[in-house]
Amino acid sequence: MVEELVVAGVAVASGAAVYAMAAAKVIKQYERGVVLRLGRLRSQVRAPGFTMIVPIVDRLHKVNMQIVTMPVPAQDGITRDNVTVRVDAVIYFKVVDAADAVVQVEDYRFAVSQMAQTSLRSIIGKSDLDDLLSNREKLNQGLELMIDSPAMGWGVQIDRVEIKDVSLPEAMKRSMARQAEADRERRARVINADAELQASKKLAAAAGVMSAQPAALQLRLLQTVVAVAAEKNSTLVLPFPVELLRFLERAQQPGQQQPAQQPAAEQPAQVTKGEQEEPPAVEAGSGEPSSGEIEAGSAEPPAVESGAEKVPEAETAPGTAADPAPVELPLPPAA
């Protein structure tokens, strides 16, 4: 009898130990426990630590509450400006409601992965190539909103979505390189033109200062000669400035006294040797001949018109200037 009691006690103890081992569960700090009793969800979510469930009746699901880093497979797509690209991303999410993550979705990891891929393809089709390359922060925010909207019903919160890499075709890479080179050349030309404009303004101001003092141009020329001749390895061809000649001409003008010119009316007419004075022409019938001007250097004097004969020329002594003597002409007979 005693032996039977001992065997029964051992059997009961063994069953209790097995039951305790089956009922005892340990939940880690970063986990939460969701209990389904006979298929129905228990409202209380088990906290981290030691907990007990009813074996065979209860089923415990442990849900990881840590932030999960999931890479999104690379997706091929065509951008809005018809460029074929290949884009991959990475998504960070965590479970905020363990019960919804177990009940509302079969596998929340797979669901988030598929949602991220479809949202990434949608973002590629709505964006330009320049946005994918330079405006990624805005695209990341849009992608996060697209994934987070359905994920909230699954008890999942999307923390961050990052576009990791954008792969372009080789032809597009060469085109972009040529475009960047042309843009840099354009900026270099604009900078050079701006420098030339500023230099021209400074030179114009310097020319205005030098025009007030002509000697400043000569000093500047000498400074240039000194700067070039410092190397002593080249032949210097020095142009002679016209401004220097003008400066020297103005410097000589105060030392020279030019004779004052007399008015033309006061200068006496001089007759050189060999020149003859021509008497004025006298018409017949006039009472007194009129005096005329003497032209020097004339070979033949004009003929004197009369009714009888030709009046000979009056001779003057060499080196003397005298008025022509009046010539008496016979009057024609009265009709």
Side-chain angles (χ1 to χ4, degrees):
M1 186 67 182
V2 176
E3 293 179 355
E4 293 179 356
L5 293 175
V6 171
V7 172
V10 171
V12 171
S14 300
V18 172
Y19 179 84
M21 293 178 60
K25 299 292 180 182
V26 176
I27 300 176
K28 299 179 181 179
Q29 180 64 37
Y30 54 86
E31 295 177 339
R32 298 294 183 271
V34 178
V35 178
L36 297 177
R37 179 167 294 176
L38 299 177
R40 293 177 63 88
L41 176 66
R42 302 288 294 177
S43 59
Q44 184 180 3
V45 177
R46 303 297 174 89
F50 180 79
T51 185
M52 297 289 293
I53 62 173
V54 178
I56 303 174
V57 177
D58 293 343
R59 187 177 295 274
L60 178 65
H61 295 275
K62 297 180 181 180
V63 180
N64 192 343
M65 306 297 289
Q66 292 177 322
I67 295 177
V68 180
T69 303
M70 179 181 295
V72 180
Q75 303 296 315
D76 294 329
I78 300 177
T79 61
R80 190 168 58 180
D81 50 353
N82 298 326
V83 178
T84 303
V85 294
R86 185 179 179 87
V87 182
D88 57 352
V90 59
I91 183 172
Y92 303 88
F93 67 94
K94 64 180 179 179
V95 177
V96 293
D97 192 342
D100 290 341
V102 174
V103 176
Q104 299 297 332
V105 64
E106 180 181 2
D107 186 354
Y108 66 91
R109 290 176 178 266
F110 181 75
V112 170
S113 176
Q114 294 299 315
M115 179 58 67
Q117 295 179 33
T118 55
S119 300
L120 182 59
R121 284 194 297 268
S122 178
I123 285 292
I124 293 173
K126 294 179 180 179
S127 305
D128 295 334
L129 179 62
D130 294 337
D131 295 335
L132 288 175
L133 297 177
S134 61
N135 198 11
R136 292 189 181 182
E137 188 66 28
K138 182 178 179 181
L139 296 179
N140 293 338
Q141 294 177 0
L143 189 59
E144 180 180 348
L145 290 176
M146 293 180 66
I147 302 175
D148 192 44
S149 298
M152 289 298 296
W154 306 334
V156 178
Q157 179 182 355
I158 306 299
D159 283 348
R160 191 175 183 86
V161 180
E162 293 286 346
I163 295 177
K164 194 163 56 173
D165 188 21
V166 179
S167 300
L168 298 175
E170 293 297 329
M172 180 58 63
K173 291 182 180 179
R174 290 193 295 268
S175 299
M176 294 177 65
R178 289 194 300 268
Q179 179 183 0
E181 183 179 357
D183 183 66
R184 290 183 178 274
E185 184 176 359
R186 177 186 62 83
R187 285 187 292 176
R189 291 184 178 181
V190 169
I191 293 174
N192 290 334
D194 190 14
E196 291 293 337
L197 177 59
Q198 295 179 6
S200 63
K201 291 181 180 179
K202 296 296 183 181
L203 291 176
V209 175
M210 290 183 180
S211 62
Q213 296 293 335
L217 182 62
Q218 179 65 14
L219 294 177
R220 182 58 185 164
L221 177 62
L222 295 177
Q223 290 178 359
T224 305
V225 172
V226 171
V228 174
E231 298 295 334
K232 298 180 181 180
N233 58 357
S234 60
T235 302
L236 178 62
V237 179
L238 181 63
F240 198 75
V242 181
E243 288 77 5
L244 181 60
L245 296 178
R246 293 176 181 174
F247 173 73
L248 296 176
E249 181 181 358
R250 286 194 297 269
Q252 292 177 359
Q253 283 181 0
Q256 295 180 355
Q257 298 293 335
Q258 297 182 357
Q261 298 179 357
Q262 298 180 0
E266 298 179 0
Q267 292 181 358
Q270 297 181 0
V271 181
T272 58
K273 185 178 180 180
E275 297 181 348
Q276 298 179 352
E277 297 178 355
E278 299 178 358
V282 180
E283 296 181 357
S286 60
E288 293 180 359
S290 60
S291 61
E293 296 178 356
I294 302 173
E295 296 181 0
S298 60
E300 296 181 357
V304 179
E305 295 181 1
S306 63
E309 59 183 354
K310 191 174 185 180
V311 180
E313 300 176 355
E315 297 180 358
T316 59
T320 61
D323 295 335
V327 180
E328 295 182 358
L329 299 176
L331 298 175

